[in-house]
Amino acid sequence: MNKIVCLSTSCYHPFPTRKQHVMNRISAEEILYFDPPVTYLAPLKDKTAWKRLFKYRKPGEKGVRENLTVYATPPMLPFFNKNRFINKINQRRMARFVRKKMKLHGFENPILWCYSPTSADAAPYIPHSALVYDCVDRHSAYKGLINEDVVNGLEKDLCKQANTVFSTAIGLHDTLSQYNKNAVMLPNGVNFEHFNRAANETFEVPADMKEIKRPIMGFVGMLQECIDYDKIEYIAKTRPEWSVVLVGKPLPGVNLDYLKQYENVHFLGLKKYDELPAYIQNFDVCLNVFRDGNLSRDVSPLKFYEYLATGKPVVSTPQPEQVLGYADAVYIAYGEEDFVKKCEEALAEQDDAKYNKRIDYARACSWDARVHQMEEILKNNGVE
């Protein structure tokens, strides 16, 4: 495949998401991966963002593959998701920065691979042979400094510029397919070999889990606004003999201090990617808990597929919709009381067939398989 310029919505380091998994596997001569910018207001919410304000001045870093280089990007003006004019200013600056790095690497007309609707205003100023939009979220559904009409307008414009549009959920596909005839739904996947280790190897119990009482209901992932914390609290209140373990960190704006009143709720913080199989191995039940809403219906949770790869019992809300396709292998719960009931059933599971189905489903959803699908679709659309 041609060279690729990837404008990402997730920093390449330290925690891999769909963006990194795809770029780490896709067949390309060379890839330039651009981390998302922070705004000048970001340090007011997140003190660690100060360092990112100036990181773009540093040389690029190598990714996990030799032909992939990661660049931080210049800080941007805030309110770009509320005002299209501000976004145009930001994206022209972004385009200038990208063009400089392209020149440094000898890029002329690469494939431009975008993850944010805001890139609609950068794409016309970045030379490219083809444009791919890989949509992983309902961007207009996020809370904060967002005007839904502005974000939806940007997304529509980006789709119209794209040669191919991928989306991770049915709801996203239903919307984006109205703007582009080459729209394809392709859910998230899993690094199968990495997480399947929890089913085939015995890890030492992580130090911060050794004193936690069993059984353990476990969650791995970013603690974001679309997670159903009411169900987590309900478990903590009604089953004090159970432990709830949350591996991840709250995103800015998410305050979970009220859960700390429960002695059986344990916040273990963000862990290294290599450590996650050991943590999940020590869960008795894995939790996939999403609050009903537009944002939840349109996500494709990485954690769900990672849980499947470990073989561990999974209790899930019916959101996002795609989990319903795995109802013969996981426990789908409706309401708080049913969620606790399904956790009890999962704890009592002695069904090897369910265990094997979870493993088989995860294998079929590996990132290698997903990226191969992507490459075949792009080839059929003339993107090479």
Side-chain angles (χ1 to χ4, degrees), residues 53-112:
L53 289 178
F54 309 101
K55 191 176 179 181
Y56 75 99
R57 297 174 180 173
K58 296 181 178 180
E61 304 175 72
K62 287 297 178 185
V64 300
R65 52 192 292 187
E66 184 61 30
N67 66 338
L68 188 153
T69 307
V70 182
Y71 285 102
T73 49
M76 299 293 172
L77 298 171
F79 311 114
F80 57 89
N81 277 323
K82 292 178 70 71
N83 187 303
R84 182 85 183 244
F85 179 72
I86 294 175
N87 189 64
K88 288 181 177 180
I89 294 172
N90 284 344
Q91 294 304 311
R92 286 200 181 193
R93 186 184 186 196
M94 171 73 82
R96 286 196 297 272
F97 182 80
V98 171
R99 289 198 304 270
K100 287 181 181 178
K101 300 306 178 185
M102 285 172 55
K103 184 176 180 180
L104 181 65
H105 288 261
F107 279 39
E108 292 184 357
N109 287 294
I111 295 169
L112 181 59

Short mmCIF file of all heavy atoms in Angstrom, two decimals, residues 53-112:
data_model
loop_
_atom_site.label_atom_id
_atom_site.label_comp_id
_atom_site.label_asym_id
_atom_site.label_seq_id
_atom_site.Cartn_x
_atom_site.Cartn_y
_atom_site.Cartn_z
N LEU A 53 1.87 20.73 25.28
CA LEU A 53 1.82 22.01 24.58
C LEU A 53 3.07 22.25 23.73
O LEU A 53 3.02 22.93 22.71
CB LEU A 53 1.65 23.16 25.57
CG LEU A 53 0.30 23.30 26.27
CD1 LEU A 53 0.33 24.45 27.25
CD2 LEU A 53 -0.82 23.50 25.25
N PHE A 54 4.18 21.69 24.15
CA PHE A 54 5.46 21.96 23.49
C PHE A 54 6.11 20.73 22.87
O PHE A 54 7.18 20.84 22.27
CB PHE A 54 6.43 22.59 24.51
CG PHE A 54 5.85 23.75 25.26
CD1 PHE A 54 5.37 23.59 26.55
CD2 PHE A 54 5.75 24.99 24.66
CE1 PHE A 54 4.82 24.65 27.24
CE2 PHE A 54 5.19 26.07 25.33
CZ PHE A 54 4.73 25.90 26.63
N LYS A 55 5.46 19.59 23.00
CA LYS A 55 6.05 18.34 22.52
C LYS A 55 6.23 18.33 21.00
O LYS A 55 7.11 17.65 20.47
CB LYS A 55 5.19 17.15 22.96
CG LYS A 55 5.87 15.81 22.74
CD LYS A 55 5.03 14.66 23.28
CE LYS A 55 5.72 13.32 23.02
NZ LYS A 55 4.92 12.18 23.51
N TYR A 56 5.40 19.10 20.28
CA TYR A 56 5.47 19.10 18.81
C TYR A 56 6.81 19.61 18.29
O TYR A 56 7.16 19.39 17.14
CB TYR A 56 4.33 19.94 18.23
CG TYR A 56 4.50 21.43 18.37
CD1 TYR A 56 4.97 22.19 17.30
CD2 TYR A 56 4.19 22.09 19.56
CE1 TYR A 56 5.12 23.56 17.41
CE2 TYR A 56 4.34 23.45 19.68
CZ TYR A 56 4.80 24.19 18.61
OH TYR A 56 4.96 25.56 18.71
N ARG A 57 7.57 20.29 19.14
CA ARG A 57 8.88 20.81 18.73
C ARG A 57 9.96 19.72 18.73
O ARG A 57 11.05 19.94 18.20
CB ARG A 57 9.30 21.92 19.68
CG ARG A 57 8.37 23.14 19.67
CD ARG A 57 8.78 24.15 20.72
NE ARG A 57 7.91 25.32 20.72
CZ ARG A 57 7.96 26.28 21.63
NH1 ARG A 57 8.84 26.20 22.64
NH2 ARG A 57 7.13 27.31 21.56
N LYS A 58 9.63 18.57 19.30
CA LYS A 58 10.62 17.50 19.39
C LYS A 58 10.58 16.64 18.13
O LYS A 58 9.59 16.61 17.40
CB LYS A 58 10.33 16.62 20.62
CG LYS A 58 10.48 17.39 21.93
CD LYS A 58 10.22 16.47 23.12
CE LYS A 58 10.41 17.21 24.43
NZ LYS A 58 10.16 16.33 25.61
N PRO A 59 11.66 15.90 17.86
CA PRO A 59 11.67 15.00 16.69
C PRO A 59 10.64 13.89 16.84
O PRO A 59 10.18 13.59 17.95
CB PRO A 59 13.10 14.43 16.70
CG PRO A 59 13.89 15.35 17.56
CD PRO A 59 12.95 15.91 18.57
N GLY A 60 10.31 13.26 15.74
CA GLY A 60 9.37 12.15 15.78
C GLY A 60 9.94 10.94 16.49
O GLY A 60 11.17 10.78 16.60
N GLU A 61 9.04 10.09 17.00
CA GLU A 61 9.44 8.85 17.68
C GLU A 61 9.05 7.65 16.83
O GLU A 61 8.05 7.68 16.11
CB GLU A 61 8.73 8.73 19.03
CG GLU A 61 8.92 9.89 19.98
CD GLU A 61 8.07 9.69 21.22
OE1 GLU A 61 8.39 8.82 22.05
OE2 GLU A 61 7.05 10.41 21.36
N LYS A 62 9.80 6.59 16.93
CA LYS A 62 9.47 5.36 16.23
C LYS A 62 8.36 4.61 16.97
O LYS A 62 8.33 4.58 18.20
CB LYS A 62 10.70 4.46 16.07
CG LYS A 62 11.69 4.97 15.03
CD LYS A 62 11.07 5.00 13.65
CE LYS A 62 12.03 5.56 12.62
NZ LYS A 62 11.37 5.71 11.29
N GLY A 63 7.47 4.00 16.21
CA GLY A 63 6.44 3.17 16.81
C GLY A 63 6.93 1.75 16.95
O GLY A 63 8.15 1.49 16.93
N VAL A 64 5.99 0.80 17.06
CA VAL A 64 6.40 -0.60 17.24
C VAL A 64 6.93 -1.19 15.94
O VAL A 64 7.54 -2.25 15.97
CB VAL A 64 5.24 -1.46 17.77
CG1 VAL A 64 4.76 -0.96 19.12
CG2 VAL A 64 4.08 -1.50 16.78
N ARG A 65 6.67 -0.52 14.82
CA ARG A 65 7.24 -0.98 13.56
C ARG A 65 8.19 0.10 13.05
O ARG A 65 7.98 1.29 13.24
CB ARG A 65 6.15 -1.29 12.54
CG ARG A 65 5.14 -0.19 12.33
CD ARG A 65 3.92 -0.62 11.54
NE ARG A 65 4.22 -0.91 10.15
CZ ARG A 65 3.28 -1.18 9.24
NH1 ARG A 65 2.00 -1.17 9.57
NH2 ARG A 65 3.60 -1.45 7.99
N GLU A 66 9.25 -0.34 12.41
CA GLU A 66 10.33 0.55 12.02
C GLU A 66 9.89 1.65 11.06
O GLU A 66 10.43 2.77 11.08
CB GLU A 66 11.46 -0.27 11.39
CG GLU A 66 12.70 0.55 11.02
CD GLU A 66 13.36 1.21 12.23
OE1 GLU A 66 13.26 0.66 13.35
OE2 GLU A 66 13.96 2.29 12.05
N ASN A 67 8.90 1.36 10.22
CA ASN A 67 8.50 2.34 9.21
C ASN A 67 7.37 3.25 9.68
O ASN A 67 6.72 3.90 8.87
CB ASN A 67 8.09 1.62 7.91
CG ASN A 67 6.83 0.78 8.09
OD1 ASN A 67 6.49 0.39 9.20
ND2 ASN A 67 6.15 0.50 6.99
N LEU A 68 7.11 3.29 10.99
CA LEU A 68 6.07 4.16 11.54
C LEU A 68 6.71 5.20 12.45
O LEU A 68 7.44 4.86 13.38
CB LEU A 68 5.04 3.35 12.30
CG LEU A 68 3.77 4.07 12.78
CD1 LEU A 68 2.61 3.09 12.89
CD2 LEU A 68 3.96 4.77 14.12
N THR A 69 6.45 6.48 12.16
CA THR A 69 6.98 7.58 12.97
C THR A 69 5.83 8.36 13.58
O THR A 69 4.84 8.67 12.92
CB THR A 69 7.83 8.54 12.12
OG1 THR A 69 8.83 7.79 11.42
CG2 THR A 69 8.51 9.59 12.99
N VAL A 70 5.96 8.65 14.88
CA VAL A 70 4.91 9.34 15.63
C VAL A 70 5.31 10.78 15.86
O VAL A 70 6.43 11.07 16.32
CB VAL A 70 4.66 8.66 16.99
CG1 VAL A 70 3.53 9.35 17.74
CG2 VAL A 70 4.36 7.18 16.80
N TYR A 71 4.40 11.69 15.56
CA TYR A 71 4.63 13.12 15.80
C TYR A 71 3.55 13.69 16.70
O TYR A 71 2.36 13.43 16.50
CB TYR A 71 4.64 13.90 14.48
CG TYR A 71 5.89 13.71 13.66
CD1 TYR A 71 5.89 12.87 12.55
CD2 TYR A 71 7.07 14.38 13.99
CE1 TYR A 71 7.03 12.69 11.79
CE2 TYR A 71 8.22 14.19 13.24
CZ TYR A 71 8.20 13.35 12.14
OH TYR A 71 9.34 13.18 11.40
N ALA A 72 3.97 14.49 17.69
CA ALA A 72 3.03 15.33 18.43
C ALA A 72 2.65 16.49 17.52
O ALA A 72 3.39 16.82 16.57
CB ALA A 72 3.66 15.84 19.71
N THR A 73 1.53 17.12 17.77
CA THR A 73 1.06 18.20 16.91
C THR A 73 0.94 19.50 17.70
O THR A 73 0.82 19.49 18.93
CB THR A 73 -0.30 17.84 16.29
OG1 THR A 73 -1.18 17.37 17.31
CG2 THR A 73 -0.14 16.76 15.24
N PRO A 74 0.97 20.63 17.02
CA PRO A 74 0.92 21.93 17.71
C PRO A 74 -0.40 22.13 18.45
O PRO A 74 -1.44 21.62 18.03
CB PRO A 74 1.04 22.95 16.56
CG PRO A 74 1.59 22.19 15.41
CD PRO A 74 1.11 20.78 15.56
N PRO A 75 -0.37 22.86 19.57
CA PRO A 75 -1.62 23.14 20.29
C PRO A 75 -2.56 23.99 19.45
O PRO A 75 -2.13 24.71 18.55
CB PRO A 75 -1.14 23.90 21.53
CG PRO A 75 0.20 24.46 21.15
CD PRO A 75 0.80 23.49 20.20
N MET A 76 -3.84 23.88 19.74
CA MET A 76 -4.86 24.55 18.94
C MET A 76 -5.74 25.46 19.80
O MET A 76 -5.77 25.36 21.02
CB MET A 76 -5.74 23.49 18.26
CG MET A 76 -5.00 22.57 17.31
SD MET A 76 -4.39 23.46 15.85
CE MET A 76 -3.38 22.18 15.07
N LEU A 77 -6.47 26.32 19.12
CA LEU A 77 -7.44 27.18 19.80
C LEU A 77 -8.61 26.34 20.29
O LEU A 77 -9.02 25.39 19.63
CB LEU A 77 -7.96 28.25 18.84
CG LEU A 77 -6.93 29.24 18.28
CD1 LEU A 77 -7.57 30.08 17.18
CD2 LEU A 77 -6.38 30.14 19.38
N PRO A 78 -9.18 26.68 21.45
CA PRO A 78 -10.36 25.96 21.93
C PRO A 78 -11.62 26.36 21.16
O PRO A 78 -11.56 27.24 20.30
CB PRO A 78 -10.45 26.38 23.40
CG PRO A 78 -9.83 27.74 23.42
CD PRO A 78 -8.74 27.72 22.38
N PHE A 79 -12.71 25.70 21.46
CA PHE A 79 -14.04 25.98 20.90
C PHE A 79 -14.16 25.61 19.42
O PHE A 79 -15.10 26.04 18.76
CB PHE A 79 -14.42 27.46 21.09
CG PHE A 79 -14.21 27.95 22.49
CD1 PHE A 79 -13.26 28.92 22.78
CD2 PHE A 79 -14.95 27.42 23.55
CE1 PHE A 79 -13.06 29.37 24.07
CE2 PHE A 79 -14.75 27.86 24.84
CZ PHE A 79 -13.81 28.84 25.12
N PHE A 80 -13.24 24.78 18.90
CA PHE A 80 -13.28 24.42 17.49
C PHE A 80 -14.46 23.51 17.16
O PHE A 80 -14.87 23.42 16.00
CB PHE A 80 -11.96 23.74 17.08
CG PHE A 80 -11.61 22.53 17.88
CD1 PHE A 80 -12.05 21.27 17.52
CD2 PHE A 80 -10.84 22.65 19.03
CE1 PHE A 80 -11.73 20.16 18.27
CE2 PHE A 80 -10.50 21.54 19.79
CZ PHE A 80 -10.95 20.29 19.41
N ASN A 81 -14.99 22.82 18.18
CA ASN A 81 -16.17 21.98 17.95
C ASN A 81 -17.48 22.76 18.10
O ASN A 81 -18.56 22.19 17.96
CB ASN A 81 -16.18 20.79 18.92
CG ASN A 81 -15.32 19.64 18.42
OD1 ASN A 81 -15.26 19.36 17.24
ND2 ASN A 81 -14.65 18.97 19.35
N LYS A 82 -17.36 24.05 18.39
CA LYS A 82 -18.53 24.90 18.48
C LYS A 82 -18.58 25.93 17.36
O LYS A 82 -19.65 26.45 17.02
CB LYS A 82 -18.55 25.64 19.84
CG LYS A 82 -18.78 24.75 21.04
CD LYS A 82 -18.75 25.55 22.33
CE LYS A 82 -19.95 26.45 22.47
NZ LYS A 82 -21.20 25.69 22.74
N ASN A 83 -17.41 26.21 16.80
CA ASN A 83 -17.32 27.27 15.80
C ASN A 83 -16.48 26.79 14.62
O ASN A 83 -15.28 26.55 14.76
CB ASN A 83 -16.70 28.52 16.44
CG ASN A 83 -16.73 29.72 15.53
OD1 ASN A 83 -16.21 29.68 14.41
ND2 ASN A 83 -17.31 30.81 16.00
N ARG A 84 -17.09 26.64 13.47
CA ARG A 84 -16.40 26.12 12.28
C ARG A 84 -15.25 27.02 11.86
O ARG A 84 -14.22 26.54 11.39
CB ARG A 84 -17.41 25.95 11.14
CG ARG A 84 -16.84 25.35 9.84
CD ARG A 84 -16.83 23.85 9.88
NE ARG A 84 -16.23 23.27 8.69
CZ ARG A 84 -16.87 22.50 7.80
NH1 ARG A 84 -18.16 22.24 7.96
NH2 ARG A 84 -16.23 21.97 6.77
N PHE A 85 -15.40 28.32 12.04
CA PHE A 85 -14.33 29.24 11.64
C PHE A 85 -13.07 28.97 12.45
O PHE A 85 -11.96 28.96 11.90
CB PHE A 85 -14.79 30.69 11.84
CG PHE A 85 -13.74 31.71 11.47
CD1 PHE A 85 -13.42 31.93 10.14
CD2 PHE A 85 -13.08 32.43 12.45
CE1 PHE A 85 -12.43 32.87 9.79
CE2 PHE A 85 -12.10 33.35 12.12
CZ PHE A 85 -11.78 33.58 10.79
N ILE A 86 -13.24 28.73 13.75
CA ILE A 86 -12.07 28.41 14.58
C ILE A 86 -11.45 27.10 14.13
O ILE A 86 -10.22 26.97 14.08
CB ILE A 86 -12.47 28.36 16.07
CG1 ILE A 86 -12.90 29.74 16.56
CG2 ILE A 86 -11.31 27.83 16.93
CD1 ILE A 86 -13.42 29.76 17.99
N ASN A 87 -12.28 26.13 13.80
CA ASN A 87 -11.74 24.86 13.33
C ASN A 87 -10.93 25.04 12.05
O ASN A 87 -9.88 24.41 11.88
CB ASN A 87 -12.86 23.85 13.09
CG ASN A 87 -12.32 22.46 12.80
OD1 ASN A 87 -11.69 21.83 13.64
ND2 ASN A 87 -12.53 21.99 11.57
N LYS A 88 -11.40 25.89 11.17
CA LYS A 88 -10.66 26.13 9.93
C LYS A 88 -9.28 26.73 10.20
O LYS A 88 -8.29 26.35 9.57
CB LYS A 88 -11.47 27.04 9.00
CG LYS A 88 -12.67 26.36 8.39
CD LYS A 88 -13.44 27.29 7.46
CE LYS A 88 -14.61 26.56 6.81
NZ LYS A 88 -15.39 27.44 5.91
N ILE A 89 -9.22 27.65 11.16
CA ILE A 89 -7.91 28.22 11.55
C ILE A 89 -7.00 27.12 12.08
O ILE A 89 -5.83 26.99 11.69
CB ILE A 89 -8.11 29.32 12.61
CG1 ILE A 89 -8.86 30.51 12.02
CG2 ILE A 89 -6.75 29.77 13.17
CD1 ILE A 89 -9.25 31.56 13.04
N ASN A 90 -7.54 26.30 13.01
CA ASN A 90 -6.75 25.22 13.61
C ASN A 90 -6.26 24.23 12.56
O ASN A 90 -5.09 23.82 12.55
CB ASN A 90 -7.60 24.47 14.64
CG ASN A 90 -7.76 25.22 15.93
OD1 ASN A 90 -7.02 26.16 16.22
ND2 ASN A 90 -8.73 24.81 16.74
N GLN A 91 -7.15 23.83 11.67
CA GLN A 91 -6.82 22.78 10.72
C GLN A 91 -5.86 23.25 9.63
O GLN A 91 -5.07 22.46 9.10
CB GLN A 91 -8.09 22.19 10.13
CG GLN A 91 -8.96 21.45 11.15
CD GLN A 91 -8.20 20.34 11.87
OE1 GLN A 91 -7.55 19.51 11.26
NE2 GLN A 91 -8.29 20.33 13.19
N ARG A 92 -5.90 24.51 9.29
CA ARG A 92 -4.89 25.02 8.35
C ARG A 92 -3.51 24.99 9.01
O ARG A 92 -2.51 24.70 8.34
CB ARG A 92 -5.25 26.44 7.91
CG ARG A 92 -6.40 26.48 6.92
CD ARG A 92 -6.41 27.77 6.14
NE ARG A 92 -7.53 27.81 5.21
CZ ARG A 92 -7.65 28.69 4.23
NH1 ARG A 92 -6.73 29.62 4.06
NH2 ARG A 92 -8.69 28.68 3.42
N ARG A 93 -3.47 25.29 10.30
CA ARG A 93 -2.20 25.19 11.02
C ARG A 93 -1.73 23.74 11.07
O ARG A 93 -0.55 23.44 10.89
CB ARG A 93 -2.34 25.77 12.43
CG ARG A 93 -1.01 25.82 13.17
CD ARG A 93 -1.16 26.30 14.59
NE ARG A 93 0.15 26.47 15.21
CZ ARG A 93 0.35 26.57 16.51
NH1 ARG A 93 -0.67 26.55 17.35
NH2 ARG A 93 1.58 26.73 16.98
N MET A 94 -2.67 22.85 11.35
CA MET A 94 -2.35 21.43 11.38
C MET A 94 -1.81 20.98 10.02
O MET A 94 -0.80 20.26 9.94
CB MET A 94 -3.60 20.62 11.74
CG MET A 94 -3.45 19.11 11.58
SD MET A 94 -2.43 18.36 12.84
CE MET A 94 -3.65 18.22 14.16
N ALA A 95 -2.45 21.41 8.95
CA ALA A 95 -2.04 21.02 7.60
C ALA A 95 -0.63 21.50 7.28
O ALA A 95 0.16 20.76 6.67
CB ALA A 95 -3.03 21.55 6.57
N ARG A 96 -0.30 22.71 7.70
CA ARG A 96 1.06 23.22 7.47
C ARG A 96 2.09 22.36 8.19
O ARG A 96 3.15 22.03 7.64
CB ARG A 96 1.17 24.67 7.95
CG ARG A 96 0.49 25.69 7.06
CD ARG A 96 0.97 27.10 7.37
NE ARG A 96 0.63 27.51 8.72
CZ ARG A 96 -0.52 28.08 9.08
NH1 ARG A 96 -1.45 28.31 8.15
NH2 ARG A 96 -0.74 28.44 10.33
N PHE A 97 1.78 21.99 9.42
CA PHE A 97 2.69 21.14 10.20
C PHE A 97 2.85 19.78 9.54
O PHE A 97 3.97 19.26 9.41
CB PHE A 97 2.14 20.99 11.62
CG PHE A 97 3.01 20.18 12.54
CD1 PHE A 97 4.13 20.73 13.14
CD2 PHE A 97 2.71 18.85 12.81
CE1 PHE A 97 4.94 19.99 13.99
CE2 PHE A 97 3.51 18.09 13.66
CZ PHE A 97 4.63 18.67 14.24
N VAL A 98 1.74 19.19 9.11
CA VAL A 98 1.78 17.87 8.47
C VAL A 98 2.59 17.93 7.17
O VAL A 98 3.40 17.03 6.88
CB VAL A 98 0.35 17.35 8.21
CG1 VAL A 98 0.38 16.10 7.33
CG2 VAL A 98 -0.35 17.04 9.53
N ARG A 99 2.39 18.98 6.39
CA ARG A 99 3.12 19.10 5.12
C ARG A 99 4.63 19.18 5.35
O ARG A 99 5.42 18.61 4.58
CB ARG A 99 2.65 20.33 4.34
CG ARG A 99 1.24 20.20 3.75
CD ARG A 99 1.02 21.23 2.65
NE ARG A 99 1.26 22.59 3.09
CZ ARG A 99 0.35 23.40 3.61
NH1 ARG A 99 -0.90 22.97 3.76
NH2 ARG A 99 0.65 24.63 3.97
N LYS A 100 5.05 19.84 6.40
CA LYS A 100 6.48 19.93 6.72
C LYS A 100 7.05 18.54 7.01
O LYS A 100 8.15 18.20 6.56
CB LYS A 100 6.70 20.85 7.92
CG LYS A 100 6.51 22.33 7.62
CD LYS A 100 6.76 23.16 8.86
CE LYS A 100 6.53 24.65 8.59
NZ LYS A 100 6.74 25.47 9.81
N LYS A 101 6.31 17.76 7.78
CA LYS A 101 6.79 16.41 8.12
C LYS A 101 6.74 15.51 6.89
O LYS A 101 7.62 14.65 6.71
CB LYS A 101 5.95 15.81 9.25
CG LYS A 101 5.99 16.64 10.54
CD LYS A 101 7.41 16.91 11.01
CE LYS A 101 7.42 17.77 12.27
NZ LYS A 101 8.81 18.15 12.68
N MET A 102 5.74 15.69 6.04
CA MET A 102 5.68 14.93 4.80
C MET A 102 6.91 15.22 3.93
O MET A 102 7.52 14.30 3.37
CB MET A 102 4.40 15.27 4.03
CG MET A 102 3.14 14.67 4.62
SD MET A 102 1.61 15.28 3.82
CE MET A 102 1.94 14.91 2.09
N LYS A 103 7.27 16.47 3.84
CA LYS A 103 8.44 16.85 3.04
C LYS A 103 9.70 16.23 3.61
O LYS A 103 10.57 15.76 2.88
CB LYS A 103 8.56 18.37 3.00
CG LYS A 103 9.68 18.88 2.11
CD LYS A 103 9.68 20.41 2.04
CE LYS A 103 10.81 20.91 1.14
NZ LYS A 103 10.82 22.39 1.06
N LEU A 104 9.79 16.22 4.95
CA LEU A 104 10.95 15.64 5.62
C LEU A 104 11.10 14.16 5.29
O LEU A 104 12.23 13.66 5.15
CB LEU A 104 10.80 15.83 7.14
CG LEU A 104 11.92 15.30 8.03
CD1 LEU A 104 13.22 16.08 7.78
CD2 LEU A 104 11.53 15.40 9.51
N HIS A 105 9.97 13.47 5.12
CA HIS A 105 10.00 12.02 4.86
C HIS A 105 9.85 11.69 3.38
O HIS A 105 9.78 10.51 3.02
CB HIS A 105 8.89 11.33 5.65
CG HIS A 105 9.14 11.26 7.13
ND1 HIS A 105 9.63 10.14 7.75
CD2 HIS A 105 9.00 12.19 8.10
CE1 HIS A 105 9.76 10.36 9.06
NE2 HIS A 105 9.38 11.60 9.30
N GLY A 106 9.77 12.69 2.54
CA GLY A 106 9.65 12.44 1.11
C GLY A 106 8.28 11.98 0.68
O GLY A 106 8.14 11.30 -0.34
N PHE A 107 7.23 12.34 1.44
CA PHE A 107 5.86 12.00 1.07
C PHE A 107 5.34 13.02 0.05
O PHE A 107 5.53 14.22 0.22
CB PHE A 107 4.94 12.06 2.30
CG PHE A 107 4.99 10.83 3.17
CD1 PHE A 107 6.19 10.17 3.42
CD2 PHE A 107 3.85 10.35 3.78
CE1 PHE A 107 6.23 9.05 4.23
CE2 PHE A 107 3.87 9.25 4.61
CZ PHE A 107 5.07 8.59 4.83
N GLU A 108 4.67 12.53 -0.99
CA GLU A 108 4.07 13.44 -1.98
C GLU A 108 2.54 13.35 -1.98
O GLU A 108 1.86 14.32 -1.70
CB GLU A 108 4.64 13.15 -3.37
CG GLU A 108 6.13 13.50 -3.50
CD GLU A 108 6.66 13.31 -4.90
OE1 GLU A 108 5.89 12.85 -5.78
OE2 GLU A 108 7.84 13.61 -5.12
N ASN A 109 2.01 12.19 -2.29
CA ASN A 109 0.56 12.00 -2.32
C ASN A 109 0.19 10.72 -1.57
O ASN A 109 -0.22 9.73 -2.18
CB ASN A 109 0.05 11.94 -3.77
CG ASN A 109 0.07 13.29 -4.43
OD1 ASN A 109 -0.67 14.20 -4.04
ND2 ASN A 109 0.90 13.44 -5.45
N PRO A 110 0.32 10.74 -0.25
CA PRO A 110 0.02 9.54 0.53
C PRO A 110 -1.48 9.34 0.67
O PRO A 110 -2.29 10.17 0.25
CB PRO A 110 0.64 9.88 1.90
CG PRO A 110 0.46 11.37 2.00
CD PRO A 110 0.68 11.88 0.59
N ILE A 111 -1.85 8.22 1.26
CA ILE A 111 -3.23 8.02 1.69
C ILE A 111 -3.40 8.81 2.99
O ILE A 111 -2.60 8.69 3.91
CB ILE A 111 -3.52 6.53 1.93
CG1 ILE A 111 -3.44 5.76 0.61
CG2 ILE A 111 -4.89 6.35 2.57
CD1 ILE A 111 -3.45 4.26 0.79
N LEU A 112 -4.43 9.64 3.05
CA LEU A 112 -4.73 10.42 4.25
C LEU A 112 -5.79 9.65 5.03
O LEU A 112 -6.90 9.43 4.55
CB LEU A 112 -5.22 11.81 3.87
CG LEU A 112 -5.55 12.76 5.04
CD1 LEU A 112 -4.32 12.98 5.93
CD2 LEU A 112 -6.08 14.09 4.50
#
